């Protein structure tokens, strides 16, 4: 599903964020990426959804070579990948429903289908009742659930989550993790960066440890050991 072949990322200021990374993430895996601050985790996952491009090496997502993709194919590929961030990035002037429907409208989906699909996704994330609320009327955990709904409403093959629980207390963090595990059980590949040791150790999923831009450990049922 996701292949990295000898991927190196150098930023224009001379920082080498990734060094010779080789990775294979299989379909339907749930992978956590851990490492100290500045290790290269965000750069690694930004390369998967093409927010960053490697300087050397190749990345394949769903059989497509991201390093030689035509510009016109990028939106098509991005549709296969949902992304969630630590700070939710919701649109403040739009309701919960509109935040989720927005991406569907932009992709040209008929209004009737949008009206059918959005409530189902809001049900999945436990926010059906709040469809008319605005982001500032929601708790952090609820806002992150809206962000997850928005990320998965187009049924992507891959869900990328960069520190999705970073701003949440343990109870809300666990609700988000349970939701990501549920989405993974439905067949979506999930790649998540996190600093949350308790969560990593409890979920018993694959753990990739990044240290100074390299994969220092890759454990099938991993523990948080940085
Ligand atoms: P992490 O997510 O593990 O904290 P990052 O991938 O954000 O690490 O950063 C890895 C390294 O790349 C760090 O040294 C960071 O300062 C540097 N870096 C990240 N983004 C940029 C950028 N846009 N320009 C220059 N250097 C960057």
């Amino acid at each position: 599903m996701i292949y990295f072949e000898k991927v190196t990322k150098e930023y224009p200021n001379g920082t080498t964020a990734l060094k010779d990374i080789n990775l294979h993430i299989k379909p339907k895996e749930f992978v956590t990426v851990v490492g100290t601050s500045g290790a290269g985790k965000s750069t690694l996952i930004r390369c998967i959804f093409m927010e960053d491009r490697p300087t050397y090496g190749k990345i394949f997502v769903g059989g497509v070579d991201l390093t030689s993709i035509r510009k016109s194919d990028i939106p098509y590929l991005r549709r296969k990948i949902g992304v969630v961030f630590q700070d939710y990035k919701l649109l403040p002037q739009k309701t919960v429903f509109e935040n989720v429907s927005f991406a569907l409208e932009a992709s040209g989906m008929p209004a009737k289908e949008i009206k059918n699909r959005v409530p189902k996704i809001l049900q999945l994330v436990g926010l059906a009742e709040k469809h008319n609320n605005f982001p500032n009327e929601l708790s952090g955990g609820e806002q992150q659930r809206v962000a997850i709904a928005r990320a998965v409403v187009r049924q992507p093959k891959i869900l990328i989550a960069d520190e999705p629980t970073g701003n949440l207390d343990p109870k809300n963090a666990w609700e988000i993790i349970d939701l990501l595990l549920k989405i993974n059980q439905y067949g979506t590949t999930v790649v998540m960066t996190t600093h949350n040791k308790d969560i990593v150790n409890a979920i018993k999923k694959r753990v990739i440890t990044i240290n100074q831009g390299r994969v220092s450990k890759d454990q099938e049922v991993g523990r948080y050991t940085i």
Side-chain angles (χ1 to χ4, degrees), residues 58-95:
K58 281 195 175 295
I59 299 175
F60 296 86
V61 173
V64 177
D65 179 353
L66 300 193
T67 43
S68 65
I69 189 172
R70 280 182 308 187
K71 257 203 166 139
S72 56
D73 287 336
I74 291 178
Y76 166 75
L77 202 90
R78 283 228 170 107
R79 218 164 289 162
K80 291 188 181 177
I81 306 173
V83 188
V84 176
F85 302 95
Q86 177 170 354
D87 58 358
Y88 328 129
K89 297 199 192 301
L90 301 177
L91 298 166
Q93 293 91 347
K94 290 191 184 290
T95 64

Side-chain angles (χ1 to χ4, degrees), residues 3-193:
Y3 282 94
F4 277 55
E5 286 179 9
K6 293 176 171 283
V7 168
T8 291
K9 171 69 184 178
E10 290 168 1
Y11 285 108
N13 67 357
T15 305
T16 305
L18 300 176
K19 293 172 196 160
D20 212 19
I21 299 261
N22 291 301
L23 264 186
H24 178 207
I25 294 173
K26 295 190 277 296
K28 303 182 184 182
E29 269 196 285
F30 190 113
V31 179
T32 54
V33 180
V34 304
T36 52
S37 189
K41 306 178 294 297
S42 298
T43 303
L44 182 118
I45 64 171
R46 281 205 302 266
C47 283
I48 300 174
F49 63 94
M50 284 176 295
E51 191 64 28
D52 267 332
R53 284 183 171 242
T55 316
Y56 306 106
K58 281 195 175 295
I59 299 175
F60 296 86
V61 173
V64 177
D65 179 353
L66 300 193
T67 43
S68 65
I69 189 172
R70 280 182 308 187
K71 257 203 166 139
S72 56
D73 287 336
I74 291 178
Y76 166 75
L77 202 90
R78 283 228 170 107
R79 218 164 289 162
K80 291 188 181 177
I81 306 173
V83 188
V84 176
F85 302 95
Q86 177 170 354
D87 58 358
Y88 328 129
K89 297 199 192 301
L90 301 177
L91 298 166
Q93 293 91 347
K94 290 191 184 290
T95 64
V96 166
F97 186 99
E98 289 163 349
N99 263 282
V100 178
S101 65
F102 189 62
L104 298 177
E105 284 159 14
S107 71
M109 185 179 281
K112 199 172 158 203
E113 202 179 331
I114 293 175
K115 275 204 180 117
N116 182 27
R117 201 189 280 198
V118 174
K120 282 188 189 147
I121 288 288
L122 291 178
Q123 190 88 37
L124 173 84
V125 303
L127 285 177
E129 316 271 276
K130 305 235 167 172
H131 65 278
N132 263 333
N133 286 79
F134 288 91
N136 68 0
E137 297 169 334
L138 304 177
S139 72
E142 288 171 335
Q143 289 185 56
Q144 190 60 294
R145 283 190 273 148
V146 178
I148 292 171
R150 179 181 58 184
V152 299
V153 71
R154 291 200 283 185
Q155 300 175 320
K157 297 263 183 275
I158 301 166
L159 179 61
I160 307 277
D162 198 359
E163 286 280 348
T165 64
N167 289 350
L168 302 175
D169 61 37
K171 179 176 171 288
N172 278 295
W174 267 111
E175 284 178 11
I176 293 301
I177 296 301
D178 286 340
L179 182 55
L180 295 177
L181 289 168
K182 187 158 86 174
I183 289 164
N184 175 244
Q185 275 165 11
Y186 288 146
T188 308
T189 308
V190 176
V191 184
M192 169 178 84
T193 69

